[in-house]
Every structure is written in structure tokens, then in C-alpha cells.
Amino acid sequence: MKREVANVPKKCLDVKMLESWLWEAACKIRGEIDAPKYKDYILPLIFLKRLSDVFEERRKGKHRPVSNLALR
């Protein structure tokens, strides 16, 4: 059984139309949130992304060793 996507024409979606459609869907799911409240969601995600990147660098052996001179 094939479902049709509501409010989307049957022609091919371009990137701009897809972004617009996904943004509207996210806004409906998210609901009303004040702009300052976004920091409660975004800052932890940025922190976790940085931790993940550092972990991957160290796992692959691409990290720079910390010298004692840098701490002085």
C-alpha cells in the first residue's frame, strides 16, 4: 500500500522544496519554543560533538601531544 505525502506535488522534489517541507514538519512537531530556550538543546549537542571529534582523533592517533611548554 503506497502512501502519498500530504501537500507535496507528484513532481520530483528539489532540495529547496524538501528543506521547506522538513522545516515545516519540524516546527509542527517542536511546537512553540522561545529562541533563548534553544541554547538548552544546542549547547549540549555542540559539547557532545566536540567530545566525539576528540575521541575519534585520539582513537585514530591524529591528536597532537601536549607539551609541558604549553602549560607554562
Side-chain angles (χ1 to χ4, degrees), residues 15-70:
V15 173
K16 191 71 174 168
M17 186 183 298
L18 180 61
E19 286 177 357
S20 172
W21 186 74
L22 288 174
W23 184 258
E24 288 177 27
C27 288
K28 288 179 183 179
I29 292 170
R30 179 178 56 239
E32 298 277 334
I33 297 178
D34 295 331
K37 291 293 266 179
Y38 281 114
K39 71 176 181 180
D40 296 340
Y41 301 101
I42 300 301
L43 291 177
L45 289 175
I46 293 171
F47 177 73
L48 289 174
K49 174 67 172 133
R50 178 65 183 146
L51 284 178
S52 175
D53 290 348
V54 169
F55 175 79
E56 282 298 316
E57 287 175 2
R58 290 189 179 185
R59 188 177 69 84
K60 292 179 180 178
K62 295 181 180 179
H63 69 285
R64 293 178 298 166
V66 178
S67 69
N68 292 333
L69 297 175

Side-chain angles (χ1 to χ4, degrees), residues 2-14 17-18 20-21:
K2 187 176 178 182
R3 284 184 58 188
E4 297 272 336
V5 179
N7 299 328
V8 177
K10 291 185 179 184
K11 66 178 185 174
C12 292
L13 288 173
D14 62 347
M17 186 183 298
L18 180 61
S20 172
W21 186 74

